[in-house]
Amino acid sequence: MKKVLTGMLCASSLAALAQEKGARFSNTVQEPMAVISVKLDQAPNDSLVNLYEPYSGDTATAYVKNHQFELRMPMKKGGSVYILQIGSNPTEQNGMGTVLYLEDGKMQITGKGAGFNDAKFSGNPWVKEWQEVMAITDPFSGEGLRFAQLEKQYHEAVAIGDEDAMNVAAKDALTVENSMKSKLKTWMAKHPNSGVCGYILTVYFTKEQKYIDSVYETLGDHAKASRILQRYKNPGKVDDVPLQMKMGEGAPAPDMGRVKIGAAAPDFTIPDLDGNKISLSGFKGKYVFLDFWASWCSPCIAQIPHLQEINNEFKDKNFLLMAISLDSKQEGWEKAVKKHGLDWLNVSNLKGWGEPVAGLYGVRYLPSNVLIDPAGNIVAYDLYGDALKAKLKELIK
C-alpha cells in the first residue's frame, strides 16, 4: 500500500503540470461534480493547491485564502482516486499531501493543523467508505505501518545485495499483505455498491484477474460505473494509457511513451554481461521477446520459471529472449543471472530506472515486456505465463 500511495505522492512537478494543463477544471462548473471544501487552521495562505488524478492527468487548482480553499472536479466519467496536495513539498509524512477517492457529491475536510494529518473528513457516504478502507491500509499505523517497515527492510537489503534478507522481508511482508487483503475482501462483501471497490480490486488484487472478474459480477451498478472499473473493463476507451508507479534504483530515463502495436520497434545498442555491444537490429528475422526485469524485483523473479519454459520450447524456433535488467550494480546482476539460471541473452546499461531502453519503450513498471516480430514490428506488450505461450504458439508454427 505504502509504495502505491508514496509513489503517487512523489510527483515532483505538480505545480508545473497544473500550469501546463491550464488548470482546466478550476473555473468550470459541470455535473456531476465532486466539491471539496477544506478549512485547515494553519494552512499557509497563498499556497498553491493541486487536485490531480495520476492516471489521466486531470487537474484542478486553487490557492489557500484565510486558511481554506475549495476545489471542483468534474465526475462525468465516474468515481476515481486523486492526489490532493498543498504547497511545493507535499508528502504524506508532512501532512501536506493525501490520497482521496472522489465521486459526485461533497467532501468537507477540517483540521487544526497545516495539513491533512489528524484532519476530519465528512460529507457524502463515499467519504466515510474511503476513510474505512484507508484505516485498513494506513501506512502509519497497524498492519499498514508494519508493511511499510518491511518494505524499508527489503530496500535496505537490496542496497547491499543481501538476497537472504530480501527474501525474509518479502516473506513477512506477504503475510501482512495477505492479512490486509482478507480484511479488504470482507469490506467489499459488506459494501458491494461502493465505488471504492474499484480502487481495492485494481490496486490490491491487480494480478488476480479471475478474482477481480468474479467480484465484479457481485457488485452493484453504482460500483461498476466507477471510472476505475470502467477503465479496467474498457482499456484505452475511457482514458489513455495510465501512469504507473516506479520502484527501484536510479532516476527514471526520459519516457518516450509506448510505441503503438504494429509500429516499428525502436532500435538500440546495449552491453551484455561480458560488455559486448548488442543491437536489436542484429536479430531481425526472429521473434524477439524483451523482458524488463531486475534482481531486486520479486514479481520478476516469480516470472523466471515461466520464461525458462518458454525459452526451452521456442529457442530453436526463430525466437530470442532478451532480458534487459534495470539493475545498477554489475555484481548483483551477475549473481542473480547465475542463481536463477537465466540462460538467455542478458543485457543492461546498469543505470537502474535510468536504463535508456526502458525509457525508449515506455517501461514504467516491472516486470514488463515487449514482443517483436521478424519484421521488427511490435506485436504485443506485457504477456505473462500462459498468455505468452499462447501468443507464441499462435505466431510461430
Side-chain angles (χ1 to χ4, degrees), residues 53 93 191 254 265 329 336 383:
E53 199 210 30
Q93 286 76 13
H191 302 81
K329 299 177 178 63
L383 297 170

Side-chain angles (χ1 to χ4, degrees), residues 35 44 52 67 165 189 238 256 266 274 298 345 359 390:
V35 181
Y52 169 76
H67 309 293
V238 177
M256 306 302 291
D274 298 319
S298 295
L345 181 58

Side-chain angles (χ1 to χ4, degrees), residues 22-307:
R24 58 181 180 275
F25 296 142
S26 297
N27 299 311
T28 304
V29 178
Q30 299 182 29
E31 293 296 341
M33 183 81 65
V35 181
I36 306 95
S37 301
V38 182
K39 187 178 188 308
L40 301 169
D41 291 352
Q42 298 180 43
N45 286 328
D46 299 318
S47 294
L48 177 67
V49 180
N50 289 291
L51 180 65
Y52 169 76
E53 199 210 30
Y55 193 114
S56 65
D58 288 353
T59 303
T61 63
Y63 285 90
V64 179
K65 298 293 182 183
N66 297 319
H67 309 293
Q68 53 192 322
F69 57 89
E70 181 179 279
L71 290 159
R72 292 173 174 264
M73 178 64 74
M75 289 285 128
K76 61 183 179 181
K77 293 184 179 181
S80 189
V81 174
Y82 295 78
I83 300 166
L84 177 57
Q85 299 182 306
I86 302 174
S88 60
N89 184 35
T91 67
E92 288 179 298
Q93 286 76 13
N94 65 21
M96 304 303 280
T98 190
V99 179
L100 301 173
Y101 171 82
L102 301 175
E103 61 180 58
D104 183 33
K106 295 182 178 181
M107 172 184 281
Q108 293 86 38
I109 305 174
T110 58
K112 296 185 179 300
F116 304 107
N117 289 349
D118 301 319
K120 293 182 179 180
F121 295 75
S122 60
N124 283 67
W126 48 264
V127 180
K128 182 173 183 288
E129 292 168 354
W130 177 248
Q131 293 305 296
E132 289 174 352
V133 170
M134 289 297 95
I136 295 173
T137 58
D138 180 10
F140 303 110
S141 66
E143 288 183 322
L145 175 60
R146 178 59 180 153
F147 185 88
Q149 292 170 336
L150 289 167
E151 184 190 35
K152 181 181 179 182
Q153 291 176 23
Y154 178 84
H155 287 292
E156 288 174 346
V158 168
I160 61 175
D162 188 341
E163 192 166 348
D164 290 337
M166 287 165 54
N167 291 336
V168 170
K171 181 179 178 181
D172 290 346
L174 181 61
T175 299
V176 175
E177 182 181 26
N178 285 339
S179 176
M180 289 194 292
K181 288 168 76 172
S182 177
K183 293 175 182 176
L184 291 171
K185 288 180 179 181
T186 299
W187 190 92
M188 286 190 291
K190 293 179 179 178
H191 302 81
N193 205 29
S194 171
V196 181
C197 290
Y199 166 80
I200 295 172
L201 289 172
T202 57
V203 170
Y204 293 95
F205 301 93
T206 183
K207 296 197 176 193
E208 301 176 41
Q209 183 175 338
K210 290 183 179 179
Y211 174 74
I212 295 177
D213 291 339
S214 67
V215 173
Y216 178 85
E217 295 303 321
T218 71
L219 298 179
D221 290 342
H222 178 74
K224 289 179 178 178
S226 73
R227 189 175 186 176
I228 301 169
L229 285 180
Q230 284 301 304
R231 278 193 294 239
Y232 171 76
K233 284 293 185 178
N234 304 285
K237 294 183 180 179
V238 177
D239 288 304
D240 292 331
V241 178
L243 172 65
Q244 299 286 343
M245 297 304 111
K246 306 175 180 70
M247 295 173 58
E249 316 155 36
D255 186 353
M256 306 302 291
R258 281 193 160 178
V259 181
K260 291 183 179 179
I261 291 176
D267 195 15
F268 58 84
T269 300
I270 189 171
D272 67 8
L273 274 169
D274 298 319
N276 301 311
K277 299 293 185 180
I278 305 296
S279 295
L280 175 65
S281 56
F283 301 105
K284 207 160 188 180
K286 291 179 177 286
Y287 283 97
V288 179
F289 186 73
L290 305 181
D291 177 51
F292 293 89
W293 75 294
S295 65
W296 42 261
C297 170
S298 295
C300 300
I301 302 302
Q303 286 294 316
I304 289 176
H306 300 294
L307 293 177

Side-chain angles (χ1 to χ4, degrees), residues 265 279-289 314-320 372-377 395-396:
S279 295
L280 175 65
S281 56
F283 301 105
K284 207 160 188 180
K286 291 179 177 286
Y287 283 97
V288 179
F289 186 73
F314 293 97
K315 63 183 179 182
D316 296 323
K317 299 179 181 179
N318 205 39
F319 172 81
L320 174 80
I372 301 168
D373 69 15
N377 298 320
L395 296 171
I396 303 177

